[in-house]
Amino acid sequence: MDEDSIRTALQAAFAVTGAGTPGWPDPHPDADREIDPAEYSRCLDPGKYRILAARARAWMQALSELDLAEVEAIEPTEAASAWRQGASQTHSPAHSPTHAPTRTHRLRPHHPGALPLLIDVHGFDGLKDNAVTLGAGEPAVLLTHVPVCGCDACDDGSTLLLEELDDAVLDVITGAFTHVDTPHGAVQGGRGGWQAEGGAGNLDVEQLLEQARTGRCPHPAVHGTRWW
């Protein structure tokens, strides 16, 4: 098993789950073009973001068919308890979302020491399934939510959105995802680098992440092995 095999399985699953949710190009290809201020307060087609829920379904199908994880449905009344509570919610990465989920699934990997992946589908602008939030661990800390903003001004096309979702999932299943809670804020690392909230960015972040990955971190940490 390797990342290429997983991506191949994902694309095969997405050909089915995404058949009714086409992608779209970047509506602002000219970086120097002035954006209409009205675009910041509107989303003319919120339904197109359902492609994200379709991608999430493809991930669940692919990882299940590859026998890397078992998919567990979580009742809406129990979804809040699936997230870790009690930390700063004002910066990213925060611990838990504040939306009401439409459906939530936990992917529990078979490999010992691997982190569960939480997939939470919700909505905006009157829809219930055009946004996705991902978490890691049990209870889960927040990985990412897409779209971060659904306004027309922030729309960069579907390709970047799908890449963001895919990268977050791959961080977990490859064992790259690492989360550390410090007294100054949270730090998260993955395949593409790290991010920090509050004053945590002034710490030796690389050292903290390495300590977390080797079980030597002095602070609460979330890290796991790869899924295969």
Side-chain angles (χ1 to χ4, degrees):
M1 185 68 63
D2 56 25
E3 187 174 319
D4 287 341
S5 300
I6 293 171
R7 286 185 180 275
T8 297
L10 169 67
Q11 293 302 331
F14 187 61
V16 178
T17 66
T21 54
W24 67 95
D26 184 351
H28 310 108
D30 183 357
D32 297 326
R33 186 184 74 86
E34 185 175 350
I35 295 176
D36 183 349
E39 293 185 25
Y40 287 99
S41 59
R42 76 183 187 208
C43 178
L44 294 178
D45 185 12
K48 66 184 179 183
Y49 289 99
R50 286 192 170 112
I51 193 174
L52 296 167
R55 190 69 155 203
R57 291 196 303 275
W59 269 115
M60 289 191 286
Q61 179 177 323
L63 295 172
S64 176
E65 290 179 350
L66 290 171
D67 199 28
L68 294 179
E70 180 180 351
V71 180
E72 304 173 349
I74 298 176
E75 293 296 327
T77 55
E78 300 175 0
S81 63
W83 295 94
R84 183 184 297 189
Q85 307 295 324
S88 168
Q89 303 296 308
T90 58
H91 298 87
S92 179
H95 278 259
S96 62
T98 58
H99 59 260
T102 301
R103 56 183 180 269
T104 303
H105 290 85
R106 180 185 292 114
L107 278 68
R108 191 178 298 281
H110 300 308
H111 196 277
L115 291 177
L117 175 69
L118 199 65
I119 299 180
D120 190 338
V121 174
H122 50 104
F124 67 95
D125 276 15
L127 301 180
K128 296 183 177 181
D129 59 351
N130 58 347
V132 174
T133 297
L134 301 177
E138 189 176 2
V141 292
L142 183 66
L143 268 150
T144 191
H145 52 268
V146 283
V148 173
C149 178
C151 79
D152 288 344
C154 294
D155 184 1
D156 294 321
S158 60
T159 298
L160 290 179
L161 286 173
L162 295 180
E163 287 178 355
E164 182 179 350
L165 192 154
D166 291 350
D167 284 343
V169 173
L170 286 165
D171 276 349
V172 175
I173 66 177
T174 60
F177 175 76
T178 309
H179 177 104
V180 179
D181 284 314
T182 81
H184 308 284
V187 171
Q188 283 187 182
R191 291 149 53 251
W194 56 264
Q195 59 177 322
E197 70 174 11
N202 297 321
L203 303 175
D204 189 338
V205 174
E206 295 289 351
Q207 182 182 46
L208 280 173
L209 294 173
E210 179 60 25
Q211 289 174 335
R213 292 168 183 142
T214 56
R216 300 179 293 109
C217 188
H219 308 295
V222 178
H223 177 65
T225 63
R226 68 182 185 180
W227 283 26
W228 67 91

